[in-house]
Each structure stands twice: as C-alpha cells, then as structure tokens.
Amino acid sequence: MTDFNKMEKAYKLAQECYAQLGVNTDRVLAELRNISLSLHCWQGDDVCGFENPDASLSGGGIQVTGNFPGKATNAEELRMDLKKAYSLIPGKHRLNLHAIYGEFEGKSVDRDEIRPEHFRTWIDWVSQEELKLDFNATCFSHPKANNGFTLSSKNRGIRDFWIEHVHRCREISSIIGKSQKSPCIHNLWIPDGSKDLTVEGWTYRSFLKESLDKIYEYEYSSTEMKDSLESKLFGIGSECFVAGSHEFYLGYALTKGKMICLDTGHFHPTESVADKISSVLLFFDEMLLHISRGVRWDSDHVVILNDEVRSIAKEIVRGKALSRMHFGLDFFDASINRIGAWVIGARAVLKAFLLALLEPHQILKEAEETGDNFYRLATLEENKSMPFHAVWDYYCLKMAVPPADLWISEIKQYENDVTNKRSKS
Ligand code: RNT
Ligand code: ZN
C-alpha cells in the first residue's frame, strides 16, 4: 500500500480502536519521538575501523562473517552510508563510535596515542547532521590483545597500555560531550578470557579491578560523559572463562557509581534481559542496553521485532523508565546490505517501543490488581493483533521517512548507485 491518504485514514481508524482501550495514539507518538537510538558505526564496515587500510576484525572473541560487497572503506563512505540509514529511520538519533574509527590521515597512531583531533571531523559532522555521539574504547583487534587478555592481563606492560588507551578514550568522550552539550556515553567492553578451563580466574579479575580503579580515578562531569561497563557470558575463544562477567561489573559499577551495559546477546539464551531491567534500575539511576540478537553461539545478529526486543520495550515503558535508559544497537552482519541491516534493526526497536507504548496499561494493571489473570492474558493476546502498523506508517509519514516497506527500494537504489560501485575490498 503506497497511498498516503489511505494511510492517514487507516491511522484515524486505528486511533479509535486504541482510544477505546484508553490509549491516546497522538500522545504515544509524541513519546516515541523522544526515544534516541545510538547507531553503531561498526555495522558499516564489519568492525574494521580506519587504523590501517587492511584492518580487519581480529582477536577479541567477536567475529564478523559474510562478504557482501560495498562496505565502507573510509570515514567519508561510512558517513555517507550512515546518512542514508538515518534518512530511513524516524526520529533523532545518536552515533556510537569506536576508537578505531578515528581519522589518522595515513599515520600509524597506536591506541595509547589517540587524541581528540582524530575525531574532530566526526564531531563536526554530527553537529551538522544534528546527531549526538557516544564512544567506546577499542580493546581488541590489536597485537596487545592477541593473547586474550588486556586490562586483566598478568603482564603489567599490557595492562598499562590499555589503561592509557581507555584514559584517552574517556577524555575524548568528555570533549565530545562538552561540544555537543549532551553527555557522551563511554562504554567499556574488553574481550578478556580464555578458551579452556582456567585456574587463575581470581587473579585476572583482581587485575581487572585494579586496572579499572586506575581508569576511573579521574572523574568527569556527568554533563560531559558517563561511563558504562559491559559484561559477557562467553565469546569465541573465551568459552570457559570471561574476566568481565555480569556479576563482576554489576558489583563494580554499583560500588563506583557507574552504569552497566546489558548486551542482549551476552546472556544465556533462556535468560530474559527484559526481566533484569527492573532489578537493575532499583539500584542504579541509569543503564545502557546494547540491543542485539543472539542466535545459538553468535551474539550479534541483526535485531528484528522479536519477543525479546518487545518484552524489553514493554518492561521499560511499564516501569516509566524511558528517561533512565540509553540505547545502543550492537550487531554486525557482513552477509547482507549493511545499511539495510542498520535500518532493519533500528526500525524494529522503534516498532517495539511503539507497541509497548500502545499497550492498554491501565486495563492490564487493573486486571492484575484484581487477580483476574485470565483477563490479563486475554488482553495481552488480543493486543497482538491491534492495528499498530497503521500508527507506525502514520508516524513515519509525519517524520518524513518512508512508511511501510517503501524504505526497502531506497536501500536497493543506494546499493545500485553507490555501494556496488565501490572497489571490491
Ligand atoms: C562484544 C560486545 C561489544 C562489541 C562492540 C564492537 O561482544 O558486544 O559491545 O560488539 O564493542
Ligand atoms: Zn555489545
């Protein structure tokens, strides 16, 4: 359906259906507009970065598979691709940069040497595009990460190298935050761990704690930057032991006044990240989510509108916790159109929030309070077939982005006109 008048009419009908359940769709759309997702730059080039022309993701327990043509090979191309993606996602969003995406002008700049000027063009670009930046230290794809340990390494020189890297990344984050007048979230994920049975887990974790204490010695104002720490259950090559586990960072962040980052792909498949949010937010003011899709052993498939993402959105909306959450996308798929991957993931998350905001909360709450659990379950079931897509299409129209499936042809067009013409590399 491409007729915009029909979409407006469908919205009016949907609006009435939701009103009968006490849900005001105009108000819902105003709330949806306030949700910002931090798009992860690394989906655009398979986590390679720009440190050197032949960079590829290596080491660090994460892996990108696929060789779909046309990945961005420099910052210009990545910005172009991001701009295309943002034009197909309703709302105002953010950009999540990794340190390896600095612009080093062909010089070899090691991780412990990066400086704010390497990110100047990004800072100017986001301001021109009315976006905001978030930042990440890159403690992988580096010879000093190759034996599996960085901040928790037994080797002091290795630890110091990474401490210096993260110091610099936090400083860059604070400069970004100051210049964009919105705190830049600096997230720290390290790959540290080992493949097989590990007997000195205690030692690694105590080194990690010591390194983090040094890293966070210096406090930045929370108007400039905020720190978060991301745990993981296991990675490729770190199946038996991961130093930065959930319990480790939960304890660390709580005692140090930092945020934790829950990556939806970093838990046991039957664990619900949605269910963790109300527990975490009883003890923390804010938290970061890395929204991803775990599939078997892989934690980073493209996000779709699945039950997990929907439950996360519902949990946050039911708890009126939107203003305490930060959202980053985190997946990398090199086997499909990379710009399309960003758009699929971002639109899916926004749809999940729309669905959550359209939930007849009052009715469900009353059913639960009176113990009418049949009515609660039946209402939840009926809610699944309410005409939410009419509300979504109308929202896209209002936000001047393609509604329904109209964005797909734009991706195909861009593929023909731009990415297919890039040199194969
Ligand atoms: C890895 C973590 C981490 C990375 C990015 C590139 O398992 O999820 O967040 O995906 O930092
Ligand atoms: Zn992550």
Side-chain angles (χ1 to χ4, degrees):
M1 180 163 82
T2 55
D3 184 331
F4 293 170
N5 283 334
K6 274 193 195 152
M7 285 186 188
E8 300 239 358
K9 276 191 200 145
Y11 174 68
K12 292 286 162 218
L13 291 175
Q15 191 174 34
E16 281 173 28
C17 298
Y18 283 108
Q20 278 167 13
L21 300 176
V23 177
N24 179 326
T25 51
D26 285 339
R27 221 175 286 150
V28 161
L29 293 185
E31 280 190 69
L32 187 61
R33 252 181 115 128
N34 286 331
I35 297 177
S36 272
L37 308 178
S38 201
L39 245 66
H40 52 318
C41 73
W42 53 93
Q43 161 58 41
D45 77 330
D46 314 336
V47 209
C48 292
F50 308 134
E51 280 179 326
N52 64 66
D54 328 300
S56 67
L57 179 65
S58 66
I62 50 178
Q63 201 173 62
V64 181
T65 45
N67 54 0
F68 195 81
K71 75 171 183 191
T73 56
N74 57 49
E76 288 293 284
E77 288 178 351
L78 188 58
R79 283 192 274 271
M80 240 179 115
D81 293 355
L82 279 162
K83 194 172 164 124
K84 185 71 207 174
Y86 286 117
S87 76
L88 303 174
I89 302 166
K92 277 266 147 254
H93 301 287
R94 302 176 67 96
L95 173 63
N96 206 0
L97 269 191
H98 244 284
I100 46 172
Y101 289 81
E103 288 169 79
F104 306 109
E105 292 165 350
K107 294 192 196 86
S108 119
V109 176
D110 209 348
R111 304 277 168 90
D112 60 346
E113 298 167 341
I114 58 164
R115 287 191 309 274
E117 55 262 37
H118 299 132
F119 299 90
R120 183 41 57 200
T121 316
W122 282 111
I123 297 176
D124 293 344
W125 184 73
V126 292
S127 130
Q128 181 192 313
E129 300 296 320
E130 295 178 33
L131 302 162
K132 309 281 179 205
L133 276 179
D134 295 310
F135 203 72
N136 303 259
T138 313
C139 302
F140 51 83
S141 302
H142 189 279
K144 289 199 166 69
N146 279 353
N147 75 350
F149 290 92
T150 63
L151 292 173
S152 73
S153 169
K154 286 193 206 159
N155 177 320
R156 193 192 169 131
I158 302 259
R159 290 201 304 280
D160 286 346
F161 173 85
W162 291 110
I163 290 170
E164 181 58 27
H165 173 61
V166 185
H167 265 149
R168 285 169 182 252
C169 289
R170 292 184 73 230
E171 193 201 347
I172 293 166
S173 305
S174 85
I175 288 167
I176 291 173
K178 223 183 287 173
S179 93
Q180 67 190 9
K181 298 190 176 61
S182 164
C184 170
I185 311 263
H186 177 262
N187 181 53
L188 181 63
W189 172 76
I190 57 163
D192 299 30
S194 51
K195 182 184 176 84
D196 221 325
L197 302 177
T198 303
V199 294
E200 286 199 276
W202 291 73
T203 312
Y204 293 116
R205 289 195 173 125
S206 58
F207 278 135
L208 178 56
K209 182 170 177 297
E210 192 185 294
S211 296
L212 294 176
D213 286 348
K214 287 191 185 146
I215 284 170
Y216 299 119
E217 238 162 38
Y218 189 80
E219 296 254 0
Y220 290 96
S221 150
S222 63
T223 58
E224 293 165 12
M225 64 93 67
K226 295 179 181 181
D227 291 294
S228 63
L229 294 142
E230 179 182 0
S231 63
K232 191 163 181 171
L233 181 64
F234 74 94
I236 302 163
S238 61
E239 289 84 358
C240 277
F241 173 70
V242 167
S245 62
H246 179 52
E247 292 71 16
F248 178 93
Y249 286 132
L250 194 67
Y252 191 85
L254 194 57
T255 50
K256 302 284 176 174
K258 303 292 175 198
M259 283 189 278
I260 54 162
C261 167
L262 299 185
D263 183 310
T264 55
H266 288 189
F267 293 86
H268 192 279
T270 60
E271 260 183 293
S272 157
V273 169
D275 185 54
K276 297 180 191 299
I277 296 170
S278 55
S279 301
V280 170
L281 287 186
L282 278 175
F283 300 96
F284 291 82
D285 292 337
E286 295 174 63
M287 66 185 285
L288 170 66
L289 284 185
H290 266 188
I291 309 175
S292 183
R293 175 167 52 112
V295 175
R296 303 190 188 277
W297 51 265
D298 176 50
S299 66
D300 302 295
H301 272 54
V302 179
V303 166
I304 53 172
L305 186 57
N306 60 9
D307 282 350
E308 172 155 41
V309 177
R310 293 179 61 165
S311 351
I312 287 172
K314 282 188 202 169
E315 193 61 20
I316 295 166
V317 168
R318 288 172 186 163
K320 299 192 178 27
L322 270 167
S323 61
R324 299 166 65 194
M325 301 293 304
H326 304 277
F327 305 109
L329 300 183
D330 186 10
F331 48 79
F332 20 95
D333 189 337
S335 73
I336 60 169
N337 182 302
R338 295 172 182 80
I339 302 146
W342 268 320
V343 181
I344 291 174
R347 286 176 76 116
V349 174
L350 293 171
K351 281 184 186 169
F353 277 109
L354 175 59
L355 280 161
L357 290 161
L358 287 170
E359 194 175 68
H361 191 60
Q362 200 50 36
I363 294 178
L364 290 165
K365 206 173 120 177
E366 276 164 26
E368 190 159 303
E369 265 163 21
T370 55
D372 196 345
N373 293 349
F374 153 70
Y375 188 46
R376 180 183 62 185
L377 191 59
T379 305
L380 284 169
E381 275 303 283
E382 281 306 313
N383 199 243
K384 289 178 179 166
S385 45
M386 290 284 289
F388 107 93
H389 218 280
V391 184
W392 170 256
D393 288 340
Y394 176 79
Y395 178 62
C396 290
L397 283 179
K398 291 286 144 196
M399 302 300 284
V401 306
D405 59 358
L406 294 180
W407 61 276
I408 300 174
S409 52
E410 290 223 22
I411 296 272
K412 292 276 183 202
Q413 189 69 47
Y414 188 84
E415 188 175 302
N416 265 329
D417 297 347
V418 182
T419 51
N420 275 353
K421 296 195 171 134
R422 285 183 187 152
S423 59
K424 310 261 172 290
S425 61

